[in-house]
Amino acid sequence: SGHRLLEPPTTTGRSPWLHFREIRNATWRAGNLVLAGDAAHTTHFGIGSGTVLAVQDALALADALGGVSTKGAGLSTALAAYDRRRRAALESIQCVAQRSMGWFEDVDRHLAADPVRVAWSLFNRRGDQAPWRYQLHLATQVEPLRL
C-alpha cells in the first residue's frame, strides 16, 4: 500500500503506461501444457477484450478436449488443434489491438489536431470504421444538429 497507481513521467516526459507490452507466442503449447488468456496473447486495453478472449480460450480448450483421453495421441492432437485454432482467431484481433495501441502511444500528436479530428481519430483508432462514417461524424458537428 502507499504505492502510486501510475508512475511519474520518465525523463523523456512520457508516462510508462503509454508503452504497452504486447505478447504474441509462436505456439501456445509445450507437451501437455497450454497457455490461455494474457499468458498466450495480449490485446491493448483500448479495445477492451482481454477477459472475453481469455474466456473464449478456455471454452475452446474445453471444446478441443471434449471426449479426449488424457493419455496418448488424442490429447496431443486436441491440444495442437486448440493452439492452431485460437492463434488463428486472435490474429485479426491482435492487429486491431495493435492499431489501437499505436493511437495511444502517439496520443500527443492526435490531441494536437482540432477537436473534431481528435474525436474522429479516437473513434476510428482501430481502423475499422467505414469511410461513410466520417461524413456522418462531420455532420454531427454542425451546431443545429448537436442540440
Side-chain angles (χ1 to χ4, degrees), residues 67-82:
V68 173
S69 169
T70 57
K71 296 180 182 175
L75 178 62
S76 181
T77 301
L79 296 180
Y82 159 77

Side-chain angles (χ1 to χ4, degrees), residues 7 12 17 40 51 57 70 87 119 127 133 142:
E7 293 293 323
T12 63
W17 69 271
T51 302
D57 289 349
T70 57
R87 280 189 300 112
R133 285 189 176 244
V142 176

Side-chain angles (χ1 to χ4, degrees), residues 9-74:
T10 63
T11 55
T12 63
R14 297 192 60 136
S15 296
W17 69 271
L18 288 176
H19 300 286
F20 182 77
R21 290 193 174 112
E22 182 182 31
I23 296 173
R24 292 187 188 214
N25 289 296
T27 183
W28 294 6
R29 68 180 285 258
N32 65 354
L33 180 69
V34 296
L35 298 175
D38 283 350
H41 53 79
T42 55
T43 54
H44 189 261
F45 61 83
I47 69 166
S49 297
T51 302
V52 169
L53 294 173
V55 170
Q56 289 174 346
D57 289 349
L59 291 170
L61 180 58
D63 184 54
L65 293 174
V68 173
S69 169
T70 57
K71 296 180 182 175

Side-chain angles (χ1 to χ4, degrees), residues 18 20 22 44 96-106:
L18 288 176
F20 182 77
E22 182 182 31
H44 189 261
V96 167
Q98 192 170 39
R99 286 193 293 270
S100 180
M101 176 177 64
W103 190 93
F104 282 97
E105 288 183 348
D106 201 20

Side-chain angles (χ1 to χ4, degrees), residues 90-147:
L90 262 289
E91 192 171 313
S92 64
I93 295 167
Q94 283 190 304
C95 286
V96 167
Q98 192 170 39
R99 286 193 293 270
S100 180
M101 176 177 64
W103 190 93
F104 282 97
E105 288 183 348
D106 201 20
V107 71
D108 292 339
R109 181 178 65 83
H110 295 291
L111 294 179
D114 70 276
V116 173
R117 294 294 293 172
V118 170
W120 174 254
S121 71
L122 179 60
F123 180 63
N124 193 39
R125 71 186 178 274
R126 295 168 35 152
D128 60 352
Q129 296 302 314
W132 62 267
R133 285 189 176 244
Y134 180 65
Q135 296 306 317
L136 180 61
H137 172 72
L138 290 178
T140 64
Q141 304 310 306
V142 176
E143 193 62 38
L145 296 175
R146 295 181 73 191
L147 297 175

